[in-house]
Amino acid sequence: MTELPESEVDVLIIGAGPAGLMLALWLARLGVKTRIVDKRTDKVYSGQADGFQVRSLEILDSFGVGERVWKEANRMLEISFWNPDSNGAIFRSAHSVNTIPGLSRFTESVLHQGRIEGFFLDAIRDSDTPDQALRVERMVIPTSLEIEESAVEDADAHPVTVTLRHLTEEEATPTQMLSNLADGIFRSNLADDDVGDILERSKAREARDEIVRAKYVVGCDGAHSWTRKTLGKEFEMKGETTDAIWGVMDIVPITDFPDIRFRTMIHSTSGAIMIIPRENRMVRLYIQLKEVSAGSGRVDRSQITPDFIFKSAQKIFSPYKLEYHYCDWWTAYQIGQRTGDHFSKLDRVFLAGDAVHTHSPKAGQGMNVSMQDSYNLGWKIGLVSKGILPREVLSTYELERKKIAKDLIDFDGKFSKLFSGRPAKDIMDETGVSSDEFQKAFHTSRMFTTGVGVNYEPTVLVAKETEEGTDHGLKRSTAKSTQSLATNCKLGQRFPSHKVIRQSDARLWELHHKLPSNGRFRLVVFGGDISQQSQRDTVNNFGAWLKFYMPKLPTIKLLPGSDPHSGSMKFITDEDPSIVDVLLVHSAPRDKIDLLGDVHEVYHPFDPKLGWDYDKVFADGETYYEEPARAYEKYGIDKSKGAVVGLRPDGYVGLVTPVSEEGQQEIEKWFGGIFQHE
Amino acid sequence: MTELPESEVDVLIIGAGPAGLMLALWLARLGVKTRIVDKRTDKVYSGQADGFQVRSLEILDSFGVGERVWKEANRMLEISFWNPDSNGAIFRSAHSVNTIPGLSRFTESVLHQGRIEGFFLDAIRDSDTPDQALRVERMVIPTSLEIEESAVEDADAHPVTVTLRHLTEEEATPTQMLSNLADGIFRSNLADDDVGDILERSKAREARDEIVRAKYVVGCDGAHSWTRKTLGKEFEMKGETTDAIWGVMDIVPITDFPDIRFRTMIHSTSGAIMIIPRENRMVRLYIQLKEVSAGSGRVDRSQITPDFIFKSAQKIFSPYKLEYHYCDWWTAYQIGQRTGDHFSKLDRVFLAGDAVHTHSPKAGQGMNVSMQDSYNLGWKIGLVSKGILPREVLSTYELERKKIAKDLIDFDGKFSKLFSGRPAKDIMDETGVSSDEFQKAFHTSRMFTTGVGVNYEPTVLVAKETEEGTDHGLKRSTAKSTQSLATNCKLGQRFPSHKVIRQSDARLWELHHKLPSNGRFRLVVFGGDISQQSQRDTVNNFGAWLKFYMPKLPTIKLLPGSDPHSGSMKFITDEDPSIVDVLLVHSAPRDKIDLLGDVHEVYHPFDPKLGWDYDKVFADGETYYEEPARAYEKYGIDKSKGAVVGLRPDGYVGLVTPVSEEGQQEIEKWFGGIFQHE
């Protein structure tokens, strides 16, 4: 046998679905040496996941990808509930708002998974540098993974060894697809995994294997995760599987049902349907299949055909008519919820997305929670690989994301049960699900399902008080926050976006657009009314301290794509900026402030080739062209006192502290705990 | 001599600058067989035009290109005026709004010409069909043009014969560029045209000529237009040339001047400067060069170097400091205004853009008026070529655009004089230009410079009363409009965009996004409060008439890109729709209306494969997520009566008429005059 080729990489990503691609994009933007492999021949072309929750859209927008989704996706703004009347005929029992208004500049939206995968691939390509052009290596599967345990704490080591096998096109094509293109079940949880088949078929090809030594490996390889299985028994997922089977169809409906372009939940005596109006005149129907059941064993898949699923839908829609000419995709699945106890092994091999949590698709959570897993992990692995963060930050990944996965499967279990339940006949029908009960459950879950409700626990990254029963064992920050200074910038939660006005040119910006995902922490200095001399002195004294303190922090090289919304202020400096970006948002009348004359230069740094930076100071208040900005009010910050809000690179609030000497000390403690620079 | 290859084309465009590319995009979207040739080797990479006025942005947005400009461009929201004080030191004499608020969803913006040329090329590529993949043929010049006069009135004839020469790269490269890459003057009006040189150099290559027979030829070939010269003496441009010379530099400034990111006009005792803050931290400076003059003859170009121009700028900026490290581009030009008497020969060969009007660049008009020329021409040539419109519509091009060109050079003459004039020392200084006078001139010109002020005269296309002194000799529409029904939808002016709410799914849309440039005329039926039975009957009776009338009109094949904002409602029908698109905007409470049950089907047409069309009915009023729409108020339409607004394919208002039998008659007359279908 010939010797296999060997190489080193910082991060190896297994699986190029939404979770893997999100991670790849992060690492590309950070300039981390990365490879990403996938067993399939190509990205998803139709069907699969489609729901985008508002937090996901905000995250995608922080990479400059969100606006493409936002433009093409269908927006689900309102929701209808239909129930059977006393004669069993369905009627609209309620119609209301879908996403909570004011929560975000985005609303829940729908676009098929293949498009976002394509957008990720484009964005990764836009991050090319002379050192790296990261591309998905398709038709590649791992065949072995080993961790050299003695080296795991050595930051510079490559202790994970993975053997990769390069497949032929035939080997990589699922057998189900070879035999029957129209079978939408091959990727559903009713189908077996095909990695075993692929391995069997490709056995003769060992000569095309290679060995990769990685600092970190991340398994984003879906519900049948090879990575998870390889890590051993303690990584097995646990949970419930019900016997309820649902069908899914993406069709262009021909119907007289009046709410077909609204998100709609129908509970009829013939079963339940959820309508998800899609892009391109399509509608996705989730259809309860009451006539099949998994029972104690496996369901008979041969029963489940598009015709069978559609006939179930027609019954539920009755007396409204439903037909179709175009069907884009269909599948069926069995409801169940499972998650694992461990999201990482030795903080060297990680699992993300469906590889550690699976559930039913109807709440449009799967792709979102998966992308948010790797969004949480990406900057940590990236900055640790680059030597900017210590390894111990990596343990916050499992802490922060395991809780979300648990909340998710709890929510999904409850929601699915309510949804699959028999609708109550009347108010006395206690075993049926009443329309009120269902609506209430739906609305109370909204804060969770939007993704905005995520609240990370206190660690070195989030300087907040310990809540009861949260002794997770990880190190805490020694800094103390003063949450009351910024009541709507909740510690551990994502910093919201509101509009502010650029001092230098009066342009309104979503503040999020000045906080792109490029690896930088942020101090947003809400300086208050700096047209008052004393407040101006306070802010400028704070600036003088920053000027002295900042050089103690690491710097970071910014790469193409790192400022995707900059438009007129594109980044072209030669110098590596600090890992901490400083923005000033004041509440003085804009025309009373002279950017260069009144404000300390740390807020408009000078570059010898580019001059002053005009993109760091923002005002609240009036403009000629839009409603006045009301940032201070919306962030819950007092205009006379202000506040400093410290943000992690993923936009979560880690510190709230005053613009004062006390604030300086807390900032030193916060960053001291994170970077261990002292 | 071997025989030259011959071919036929509907439209041949000479010149691929903004005017030519706008025309090419129109024709690509309409599926008209087109060729576009350009003498240069590539698109513009830096410098040249940069100003986008709001009407241009609206037009670009109607092709789906606007958002790319809007994202990348720098927006100029406010303007500063600086003047010398009694000691000669400059001070900020005024600061105010730049674009008139409320005029448009866009504001004046700046991005260099090369980007918009790139966006056009992308959009043209996105319009590819199996029949045509329109590409710019570079390094190609025309060498002869002849019109077969006897055939000009035959709609199917190809009476224009052009010989094209295919150049080598060396032949196509301007001699100035070959000798000195840094010389920014080679494209300015201080340089001679180089077509003569090119022809001379390429003489030996006649064998690479070809003959093209075209229905129509459009010269978009710039100030030195070969097409114009070839058409003969009566096409010569006339006008003034002053002796004032100005320099232009695109730099990343290093300065303590406080208004460097605002559009700023400085009048100092050392001359005048206009500051145009640009994308990518750049600033364009227009700098009066007082120490050179064209006098009666040609200016000595060797004097004009970047160093010379920049020293003039530094003097004017004094006491503020000005330096730079990066210079992207520079040029110089002589102020003058010229236009021609004729924009077309026999309505077979047309001129557009700089080929028929040149002026100074400081008001950011050139690229805008040029693109608007060919935007006006594109749908007319396109629909005439396709046999949908009669040839006589073509004569409206010269009528409509010659007036704009004249207004433009009048405006520019006045504005340039004021700008180059000596600033007044004090109120008694009558020969100097006072700050007040200059500001007043600036603000009164805003409606014109935005492009929104354009007001086309009555013809078959615009059914309005003749104004005094406008006997232009072209046929008028026999329809009569009732302007008072829609006071802010001015006949002859562009239909403004306001937000409306889609009935089927509650999504807010800019109404412009439902009026893309795809060749269709529109009837926007403002139906009023259709929750009232009588008003609903009125609107549905009108619908019943439309259903009967519409089949008399031509149909049009819609091509890829024809609905660039559709997002979730992408067009996938097999059937050719009517040349007239019907939209309903009602003012009833949205939840009181059942789209399928209450509203005549002409407003939500049925397609046997796609079902009902959910994208044609819109409401005014409340939504959960944004400020309430106030479309009726903003369009100046009474909610109890409503109105029908008829739009040309370029979005200009051609008819305002009641939702009634009277309206039906006026619509028949209006379209009857345009399509001559009876």
Side-chain angles (χ1 to χ4, degrees):
Chain A
M1 188 175 147
T2 51
E3 211 158 299
L4 297 178
E6 294 194 17
S7 60
E8 282 190 349
V9 72
D10 287 346
V11 184
L12 172 66
I13 305 169
I14 300 170
L21 290 170
M22 169 68 84
L23 185 60
L25 178 56
W26 242 137
L27 297 172
R29 288 280 162 89
L30 295 175
V32 173
K33 201 177 158 196
T34 303
R35 289 178 66 180
I36 175 168
V37 301
D38 194 274
K39 65 179 175 176
R40 303 281 177 223
T41 53
D42 215 328
K43 67 183 172 70
V44 165
Y45 277 114
S46 63
Q48 305 289 21
D50 63 358
F52 288 86
Q53 303 301 334
V54 301
R55 180 58 189 149
S56 301
L57 289 165
E58 290 178 357
I59 290 170
L60 292 169
D61 201 35
S62 76
F63 289 105
V65 170
E67 60 206 15
R68 295 187 68 181
V69 180
W70 190 233
K71 180 176 161 64
E72 288 193 19
N74 189 48
R75 305 182 193 169
M76 297 200 298
L77 302 170
E78 299 179 2
I79 183 165
S80 276
F81 298 89
W82 289 63
N83 279 78
D85 65 16
S86 50
N87 300 318
I90 55 170
F91 73 103
R92 186 192 291 121
S93 56
H95 184 88
S96 68
V97 69
N98 185 27
T99 311
I100 303 164
L103 196 64
S104 171
R105 63 197 181 280
F106 299 111
T107 57
E108 188 178 20
S109 299
V110 195
L111 185 67
H112 90 81
Q113 184 179 329
R115 287 303 286 163
I116 180 63
E117 291 186 17
F119 298 160
F120 273 128
L121 297 174
D122 290 346
I124 290 168
R125 201 174 292 116
D126 290 344
S127 314
D128 282 0
T129 65
D131 297 333
Q132 175 165 275
L134 181 56
R135 296 290 180 272
V136 176
E137 300 169 51
R138 300 198 183 271
M139 305 189 284
V140 175
I141 56 169
T143 61
S144 76
L145 182 153
E146 273 165 44
I147 308 176
E148 191 191 339
E149 300 208 4
S150 63
V152 292
E153 291 313 323
D154 173 1
D156 298 324
H158 292 72
V160 194
T161 303
V162 177
T163 308
L164 293 179
R165 176 163 302 170
H166 295 256
L167 306 172
T168 62
E169 190 142 347
E170 194 191 355
E171 287 158 5
T173 305
T175 34
Q176 295 96 326
M177 281 197 75
L178 288 175
S179 61
N180 179 6
L181 272 169
D183 182 353
I185 296 186
F186 81 90
R187 273 180 164 169
S188 105
N189 64 0
L190 300 179
D192 295 318
D193 182 36
D194 62 349
V195 168
D197 290 356
I198 293 176
L199 277 177
E200 191 60 35
R201 272 182 284 151
S202 66
K203 241 183 189 162
R205 321 283 302 207
E206 275 164 24
R208 294 165 71 227
D209 288 359
E210 63 162 320
I211 288 171
V212 177
R213 300 193 195 285
K215 286 183 175 170
Y216 298 98
V217 171
V218 187
C220 302
D221 45 353
H224 294 299
S225 174
W226 174 91
T227 315
R228 184 187 67 229
K229 288 174 193 159
T230 304
L231 289 179
K233 218 171 157 51
E234 74 270 28
F235 283 79
E236 261 179 24
M237 294 206 288
K238 296 159 196 162
E240 283 179 29
T241 304
T242 73
D243 54 4
I245 307 282
W246 286 65
V248 185
M249 294 188 84
D250 288 345
I251 58 171
V252 178
I254 304 174
T255 184
D256 55 357
F257 182 75
D259 287 352
I260 195 73
R261 296 297 313 167
F262 287 111
R263 183 175 182 191
T264 297
M265 317 250 190
I266 305 178
H267 282 92
S268 87
T269 51
S270 309
I273 271 187
M274 184 158 73
I275 300 174
I276 300 289
R278 289 274 301 263
E279 75 280 8
N280 206 2
R281 292 181 84 142
M282 272 195 306
V283 165
R284 170 167 292 188
L285 299 177
Y286 288 98
I287 303 149
Q288 189 174 15
L289 303 179
K290 292 186 92 172
E291 288 159 33
V292 289
S293 163
S296 56
R298 273 277 159 128
V299 68
D300 174 11
R301 276 163 50 190
S302 68
Q303 253 191 288
I304 303 172
T305 62
D307 193 50
F308 174 80
I309 298 173
F310 192 67
K311 286 217 165 76
S312 302
Q314 284 176 315
K315 261 189 237 166
I316 300 167
F317 264 77
S318 171
Y320 295 99
K321 288 187 206 83
L322 179 69
E323 297 293 344
Y324 70 88
H325 180 85
Y326 294 109
C327 174
D328 195 57
W329 183 74
W330 67 275
T331 190
Y333 63 90
Q334 181 173 359
I335 288 184
Q337 298 84 27
R338 305 168 75 80
T339 185
D341 288 333
H342 304 289
F343 280 42
S344 112
K345 180 153 186 175
L346 301 168
D347 286 336
R348 284 290 180 177
V349 180
F350 298 87
L351 299 172
D354 287 358
V356 272
H357 42 74
T358 64
H359 54 93
S360 63
K362 278 192 300 297
Q365 291 296 299
M367 178 164 60
N368 295 273
V369 176
S370 295
M371 289 192 297
Q372 286 165 37
D373 280 350
S374 55
Y375 184 63
N376 181 289
L377 182 60
W379 61 276
K380 294 174 185 171
I381 283 198
L383 296 183
V384 170
S385 299
K386 291 167 85 83
I388 292 174
L389 284 177
R391 261 185 54 75
E392 66 174 317
V393 165
L394 294 172
S395 55
T396 62
Y397 170 65
E398 179 172 299
L399 174 74
E400 292 181 339
R401 298 308 300 175
K402 200 165 85 176
K403 182 167 177 297
I404 304 300
K406 222 186 138 320
D407 291 350
L408 172 63
I409 65 165
D410 288 351
F411 155 75
D412 190 65
K414 261 185 252 167
F415 188 68
S416 293
K417 233 167 262 165
L418 279 174
F419 206 173
S420 299
R422 179 179 61 78
K425 287 190 192 101
D426 53 42
I427 200 164
M428 299 299 292
D429 178 0
E430 284 182 10
T431 64
V433 178
S434 79
S435 172
D436 278 359
E437 189 181 355
F438 183 75
Q439 278 181 57
K440 209 175 140 198
F442 174 79
H443 287 296
T444 55
S445 70
R446 288 314 281 158
M447 196 66 187
F448 175 75
T449 54
T450 58
V452 174
V454 165
N455 188 355
Y456 292 140
E457 295 180 56
T459 58
V460 289
L461 297 173
V462 179
K464 70 176 174 183
E465 296 294 314
T466 306
E467 288 164 48
E468 278 177 64
T470 56
D471 186 16
H472 48 62
L474 297 191
K475 214 173 96 181
R476 308 294 173 90
S477 179
T478 57
K480 278 199 172 29
S481 286
T482 313
Q483 179 71 75
S484 61
L485 291 172
T487 53
N488 295 329
C489 304
K490 301 274 189 224
L491 288 153
Q493 299 191 27
R494 78 92 165 81
F495 180 71
S497 188
H498 299 299
K499 287 188 178 173
V500 292
I501 307 158
R502 188 157 57 192
Q503 177 70 39
S504 63
D505 67 356
R507 179 164 168 185
L508 267 161
W509 287 93
E510 285 288 342
L511 193 42
H512 270 192
H513 285 165
K514 296 298 159 190
L515 310 168
S517 291
N518 57 18
R520 300 180 83 182
F521 287 75
R522 267 94 186 190
L523 292 175
V524 185
V525 180
F526 288 90
D529 183 357
I530 57 170
S531 67
Q532 305 298 317
Q533 180 73 46
S534 67
Q535 188 64 20
R536 189 158 70 243
D537 289 346
T538 300
V539 167
N540 285 340
N541 288 340
F542 191 83
W545 171 78
L546 279 171
K547 177 100 184 162
F548 156 81
Y549 171 69
M550 301 269 288
K552 299 186 183 179
L553 294 167
T555 59
I556 185 168
K557 189 171 179 59
L558 293 183
L559 295 178
S562 66
D563 198 0
H565 299 282
S566 56
S568 58
M569 295 282 189
K570 207 162 168 182
F571 183 81
I572 49 171
T573 184
D574 300 336
E575 299 185 22
D576 288 356
S578 169
I579 191 73
V580 177
D581 192 15
V582 175
L583 299 174
L584 173 63
V585 180
H586 69 77
S587 66
R590 188 162 46 86
D591 60 357
K592 294 276 180 294
I593 301 304
D594 173 4
L595 176 61
L596 302 185
D598 289 337
V599 177
H600 190 281
E601 67 163 281
V602 82
Y603 305 115
H604 53 85
F606 186 78
D607 180 286
K609 291 181 178 171
L610 301 173
W612 300 106
D613 190 332
Y614 295 96
D615 195 26
K616 298 291 180 196
V617 178
F618 300 85
D620 202 2
E622 306 280 332
T623 73
Y624 289 109
Y625 296 99
E626 290 191 40
E627 297 291 304
R630 293 187 292 123
Y632 272 67
E633 181 190 330
K634 290 178 175 175
Y635 284 115
I637 294 172
D638 188 313
K639 289 187 183 183
S640 66
K641 279 191 289 189
V644 181
V645 179
L647 304 179
R648 314 173 357 159
D650 54 4
Y652 285 76
V653 178
L655 183 73
V656 176
T657 195
V659 191
S660 67
E661 272 183 45
E662 181 197 329
Q664 296 165 19
Q665 286 162 17
E666 300 307 329
I667 290 167
E668 286 210 48
K669 285 186 210 160
W670 186 50
F671 285 135
I674 293 169
F675 296 112
Q676 304 183 338
H677 62 81
E678 284 175 312
Chain B
M1 188 175 147
T2 52
E3 212 158 298
L4 297 179
E6 293 194 17
S7 60
E8 282 190 350
V9 71
D10 286 346
V11 184
L12 172 67
I13 304 169
I14 299 170
L21 290 170
M22 168 69 83
L23 184 60
L25 177 56
W26 243 135
L27 297 171
R29 288 281 161 90
L30 295 174
V32 174
K33 201 176 159 195
T34 303
R35 288 177 67 181
I36 174 168
V37 300
D38 194 274
K39 64 179 175 176
R40 302 281 177 222
T41 54
D42 215 326
K43 68 181 171 68
V44 165
Y45 278 114
S46 63
Q48 305 288 31
D50 63 358
F52 288 86
Q53 302 301 334
V54 301
R55 180 58 189 150
S56 300
L57 289 165
E58 291 178 357
I59 290 170
L60 293 169
D61 201 36
S62 77
F63 290 105
V65 170
E67 59 206 14
R68 295 187 68 182
V69 180
W70 190 233
K71 180 178 160 63
E72 288 194 19
N74 188 48
R75 305 181 193 169
M76 297 200 297
L77 303 170
E78 299 179 1
I79 183 165
S80 275
F81 299 89
W82 289 64
N83 279 77
D85 64 16
S86 51
N87 300 318
I90 55 171
F91 73 104
R92 185 193 291 120
S93 55
H95 183 87
S96 67
V97 68
N98 184 27
T99 311
I100 302 164
L103 196 65
S104 170
R105 62 196 181 282
F106 299 110
T107 55
E108 188 177 20
S109 300
V110 194
L111 185 68
H112 89 81
Q113 183 178 331
R115 288 302 287 164
I116 180 62
E117 291 187 18
F119 299 159
F120 272 128
L121 297 174
D122 289 346
I124 290 168
R125 200 174 292 117
D126 290 344
S127 313
D128 281 0
T129 65
D131 297 333
Q132 176 165 275
L134 180 55
R135 297 291 179 271
V136 176
E137 300 169 50
R138 300 198 182 271
M139 304 188 283
V140 175
I141 55 170
T143 62
S144 75
L145 182 152
E146 272 165 44
I147 308 175
E148 190 190 343
E149 299 208 5
S150 63
V152 293
E153 289 313 322
D154 173 1
D156 299 323
H158 292 72
V160 193
T161 303
V162 176
T163 308
L164 293 179
R165 175 163 302 171
H166 295 256
L167 304 173
T168 63
E169 189 142 348
E170 194 192 354
E171 287 158 7
T173 305
T175 35
Q176 294 95 326
M177 281 196 75
L178 288 176
S179 60
N180 180 6
L181 271 169
D183 182 353
I185 296 186
F186 81 89
R187 272 179 167 171
S188 103
N189 64 0
L190 300 179
D192 294 318
D193 182 36
D194 62 349
V195 168
D197 290 356
I198 293 176
L199 277 177
E200 191 61 36
R201 272 182 284 152
S202 66
K203 242 184 189 162
R205 324 281 303 204
E206 275 164 25
R208 296 166 68 226
D209 288 0
E210 62 162 319
I211 289 171
V212 177
R213 300 194 194 285
K215 285 183 175 170
Y216 299 97
V217 171
V218 186
C220 302
D221 44 353
H224 295 299
S225 175
W226 174 92
T227 314
R228 185 188 67 229
K229 288 174 193 159
T230 305
L231 289 179
K233 217 172 159 51
E234 73 271 29
F235 283 80
E236 262 179 23
M237 293 206 288
K238 296 159 196 161
E240 283 181 28
T241 303
T242 72
D243 54 5
I245 307 282
W246 284 65
V248 186
M249 293 188 85
D250 288 346
I251 58 171
V252 177
I254 304 174
T255 183
D256 55 356
F257 182 74
D259 286 353
I260 195 73
R261 296 298 311 167
F262 288 111
R263 184 176 181 192
T264 298
M265 317 250 191
I266 305 178
H267 282 93
S268 86
T269 50
S270 309
I273 270 187
M274 185 157 72
I275 300 174
I276 300 290
R278 289 273 301 262
E279 75 280 7
N280 206 2
R281 292 181 84 143
M282 271 194 304
V283 166
R284 170 168 291 188
L285 299 176
Y286 289 98
I287 304 150
Q288 189 175 14
L289 304 180
K290 292 186 92 171
E291 288 160 33
V292 288
S293 164
S296 56
R298 274 276 158 131
V299 67
D300 174 12
R301 277 162 51 190
S302 68
Q303 252 191 289
I304 303 173
T305 63
D307 193 51
F308 174 79
I309 298 173
F310 193 66
K311 286 217 165 77
S312 302
Q314 284 177 315
K315 259 189 239 166
I316 300 167
F317 264 76
S318 170
Y320 295 99
K321 287 187 205 83
L322 178 70
E323 298 294 342
Y324 70 89
H325 180 85
Y326 293 108
C327 175
D328 197 56
W329 184 72
W330 68 274
T331 190
Y333 62 91
Q334 180 172 2
I335 289 183
Q337 297 84 27
R338 304 169 75 81
T339 186
D341 288 332
H342 304 288
F343 280 43
S344 114
K345 180 152 187 176
L346 300 168
D347 285 336
R348 284 291 180 177
V349 180
F350 298 87
L351 298 173
D354 287 358
V356 271
H357 42 73
T358 63
H359 52 93
S360 64
K362 278 192 302 295
Q365 291 296 300
M367 178 164 60
N368 294 274
V369 176
S370 295
M371 289 192 297
Q372 287 166 35
D373 280 350
S374 55
Y375 183 63
N376 181 290
L377 181 62
W379 62 275
K380 295 173 185 173
I381 283 199
L383 296 183
V384 170
S385 297
K386 291 167 83 83
I388 292 174
L389 284 177
R391 262 185 53 76
E392 67 174 314
V393 165
L394 294 173
S395 56
T396 62
Y397 169 67
E398 179 172 299
L399 174 74
E400 293 182 340
R401 297 309 299 178
K402 201 165 85 177
K403 182 167 175 300
I404 305 300
K406 224 188 137 320
D407 290 349
L408 172 63
I409 64 164
D410 288 351
F411 154 76
D412 190 66
K414 260 184 250 166
F415 187 68
S416 294
K417 232 167 263 166
L418 278 175
F419 207 173
S420 301
R422 178 178 61 80
K425 287 193 192 101
D426 53 45
I427 202 165
M428 299 301 291
D429 178 1
E430 282 181 15
T431 64
V433 178
S434 80
S435 173
D436 277 0
E437 188 182 356
F438 184 75
Q439 278 182 57
K440 209 174 141 198
F442 174 79
H443 287 296
T444 55
S445 70
R446 289 313 281 160
M447 196 66 188
F448 174 74
T449 56
T450 59
V452 174
V454 165
N455 188 354
Y456 293 140
E457 294 179 57
T459 59
V460 288
L461 298 173
V462 178
K464 70 175 176 184
E465 296 293 316
T466 306
E467 288 164 47
E468 277 177 65
T470 56
D471 185 17
H472 49 60
L474 297 191
K475 215 173 93 180
R476 309 293 174 93
S477 179
T478 57
K480 279 201 169 28
S481 287
T482 315
Q483 178 71 73
S484 61
L485 291 171
T487 52
N488 296 327
C489 305
K490 301 274 190 228
L491 288 153
Q493 299 190 27
R494 78 92 165 81
F495 181 69
S497 188
H498 299 299
K499 287 187 179 173
V500 293
I501 307 158
R502 188 156 58 191
Q503 177 69 38
S504 63
D505 68 355
R507 178 164 168 185
L508 268 161
W509 287 93
E510 285 288 342
L511 192 43
H512 270 192
H513 286 167
K514 297 298 158 189
L515 310 168
S517 291
N518 57 19
R520 299 180 83 184
F521 287 75
R522 267 94 186 190
L523 291 175
V524 185
V525 180
F526 287 90
D529 183 357
I530 57 170
S531 67
Q532 305 297 317
Q533 181 72 47
S534 68
Q535 188 64 20
R536 189 157 71 244
D537 290 347
T538 300
V539 167
N540 286 339
N541 289 340
F542 191 83
W545 171 79
L546 279 171
K547 176 100 183 160
F548 156 83
Y549 171 68
M550 302 267 289
K552 299 185 184 179
L553 295 167
T555 59
I556 184 167
K557 189 172 180 57
L558 292 184
L559 295 178
S562 66
D563 198 359
H565 299 282
S566 56
S568 57
M569 295 282 190
K570 206 162 168 181
F571 184 81
I572 50 172
T573 185
D574 301 335
E575 298 184 23
D576 288 355
S578 168
I579 190 74
V580 177
D581 191 14
V582 175
L583 299 174
L584 174 62
V585 180
H586 68 77
S587 66
R590 188 162 46 86
D591 60 358
K592 294 276 180 295
I593 300 304
D594 173 4
L595 176 60
L596 303 184
D598 289 337
V599 177
H600 190 281
E601 67 162 280
V602 82
Y603 304 115
H604 53 86
F606 187 78
D607 181 287
K609 292 182 179 171
L610 301 173
W612 300 107
D613 190 332
Y614 296 95
D615 195 27
K616 297 291 181 197
V617 178
F618 300 85
D620 202 2
E622 305 280 332
T623 73
Y624 288 109
Y625 296 99
E626 291 190 40
E627 297 290 306
R630 294 186 293 123
Y632 272 67
E633 181 190 329
K634 290 177 174 174
Y635 284 114
I637 294 171
D638 187 315
K639 289 187 182 183
S640 66
K641 280 190 289 189
V644 180
V645 179
L647 303 179
R648 316 175 351 162
D650 54 3
Y652 285 75
V653 178
L655 183 73
V656 176
T657 194
V659 191
S660 69
E661 274 184 44
E662 181 196 332
Q664 296 164 19
Q665 287 162 17
E666 300 307 330
I667 290 167
E668 287 210 49
K669 285 186 212 161
W670 187 50
F671 285 134
I674 293 170
F675 297 111
Q676 303 183 339
H677 61 83
E678 285 175 311

